[in-house]
Amino acid sequence: QVQLVESGGGLVQAGGSLRLSCAASGRTLNNLNMGWFRQAPGKERDFVAGITWMGNTYYQNSVKGRFTISRDNAKNTVYLQMSSLKPEDTAVYYCAAQRLRATMNANEYGYWGQGTQVTVSS
């Protein structure tokens, strides 16, 4: 089993930046594909960014150029650096992990954190 704990969320003005962290326990992250998802009130959970165990990254189109996903296997942590934040980025952000392949499909991720709230004010 893998336990994931997100941190770094909060309230920020439009145009500002936040860095989310996802710390893992139970095993190391080096053989896991990691992803960030978000869910706004009344909406489905959507893919945001992913990084494979080899370090390849991929993003939802709406965050390309603004968000960066990275991993530090020595610290057993995955990050989501968010800049140029917009009110429409407001959501609960979740960290997730899966063993098999890179994917944007939430149903293929077997391990999830509890989520951290990001609120962007206008």
Side-chain angles (χ1 to χ4, degrees):
Q1 290 292 319
V2 179
Q3 294 80 46
L4 304 173
V5 179
E6 302 97 333
S7 62
L11 175 64
V12 65
Q13 292 184 347
S17 299
L18 285 173
R19 188 182 73 164
L20 306 183
S21 298
C22 174
S25 62
R27 63 157 293 163
T28 61
L29 297 178
N30 60 316
N31 295 125
L32 294 174
N33 303 296
M34 306 297 298
W36 285 97
F37 294 77
R38 65 187 181 186
Q39 187 167 19
K43 297 185 177 181
E44 295 182 347
R45 184 167 50 192
D46 291 329
F47 172 82
V48 177
I51 184 167
T52 71
W53 68 273
M54 293 187 293
N56 300 312
T57 61
Y58 51 103
Y59 299 89
Q60 180 196 109
N61 286 336
S62 67
V63 306
K64 288 181 179 178
R66 300 190 298 121
F67 292 9
T68 301
I69 187 171
S70 62
R71 64 193 303 161
D72 187 338
N73 289 343
K75 296 181 179 179
N76 224 27
T77 301
V78 175
Y79 304 96
L80 184 67
Q81 179 67 50
M82 306 184 293
S83 62
S84 301
L85 283 163
K86 305 174 182 180
E88 51 262 45
D89 295 319
T90 296
V92 177
Y93 283 71
Y94 297 91
C95 177
Q98 57 92 15
R99 297 173 59 86
L100 298 180
R101 67 187 183 100
T103 179
M104 301 179 184
N105 186 354
N107 292 330
E108 298 187 45
Y109 287 80
Y111 306 100
W112 293 88
Q114 82 287 352
T116 185
Q117 176 70 47
V118 172
T119 302
V120 184
S121 65
S122 59

